[in-house]
Amino acid sequence: AMAGRADAEVHPTAVVGPLVLPRLELKPPGSLSEAQRSLYDKIAAGAKDSQGRPVKTRVDEASGGLLGPFNAMLLSPGLGAQLVGLADCLRFGDLAISQRIAEVVILHTVRHHSAEYPFWSHTTIGKAAGLSDETIQALRLGHPSPPPDLHGTGEAAALLLAKRLLAGSGGGEVL
């Protein structure tokens, strides 16, 4: 059990297919308090592609539990609701960049940090935004140069900026 949370079961991390097993036991919807269920419903309904169509990347089909960071948000529904609101604003708010550019940067960033769930989840969203399988595979493998279909586009520039920022250069030379 986690310190301070005797009711939370902790699982070891193990890679299974495209995802890592959760560290916290997935909570089926029927076991949730009213506040947790309200947050669960908001999270489950919130995953959308660039056209606003629902995508199923946040709920485990077998158990009904939430995947990735969303499962942990159920431990504190008030804080979880605020985090979901912030994430939705950043992803679906009035972006000054295209959804394709956002997904290129997100996929590179989560791959850089070896964050398997968001890479898997944003692969689906990236494809819906028009990213090719070739581009997604190149981002997955961390190729040093942008995939061919990104050359000469805002996506290539955004990817270069993300790479420089994550490398600690500040990115000024790209701007």
Side-chain angles (χ1 to χ4, degrees):
M2 291 178 9
R5 293 293 306 190
D7 60 330
E9 288 191 36
V10 180
H11 294 280
T13 301
V15 176
V16 177
L19 299 175
V20 172
L21 287 176
R23 292 179 186 102
L24 297 173
E25 181 178 338
L26 298 181
K27 293 179 166 281
S31 71
L32 303 176
S33 70
E34 186 177 322
Q36 288 172 322
R37 183 56 197 234
S38 175
L39 177 59
Y40 174 97
D41 291 342
K42 182 177 182 174
I43 291 169
K48 297 177 180 67
D49 67 18
S50 63
Q51 305 301 312
R53 296 177 299 237
V55 291
K56 296 182 179 187
T57 60
R58 294 181 176 179
V59 178
D60 177 63
E61 291 183 25
S63 70
L66 295 174
L67 296 170
F70 304 106
N71 186 46
M73 291 179 189
L74 295 173
L75 297 174
S76 178
L79 178 59
Q82 291 179 13
L83 290 170
V84 168
L86 174 62
D88 287 349
C89 180
L90 292 173
R91 287 256 308 112
F92 305 115
D94 188 19
L95 295 178
I97 60 173
S98 73
Q99 194 64 48
R100 267 181 66 103
I101 291 174
E103 292 306 322
V104 166
V105 171
I106 290 167
L107 285 167
H108 174 71
T109 302
V110 297
R111 185 249 168 232
H112 174 83
H113 292 291
S114 300
E116 294 177 28
Y117 166 77
F119 194 95
W120 170 80
S121 175
H122 282 276
T123 293
T124 301
I125 298 167
K127 285 180 182 180
L131 296 180
S132 68
D133 289 336
E134 178 186 20
T135 294
I136 291 170
Q137 184 66 4
L139 291 166
R140 174 181 284 118
L141 297 174
H143 287 230
S145 59
D149 58 336
L150 296 188
H151 286 292
T153 68
E155 293 132 3
L159 178 59
L160 181 58
L161 177 60
K163 286 181 176 190
R164 298 278 169 83
L165 289 171
L166 289 167
S169 77
E173 68 280 6
V174 176
L175 300 174

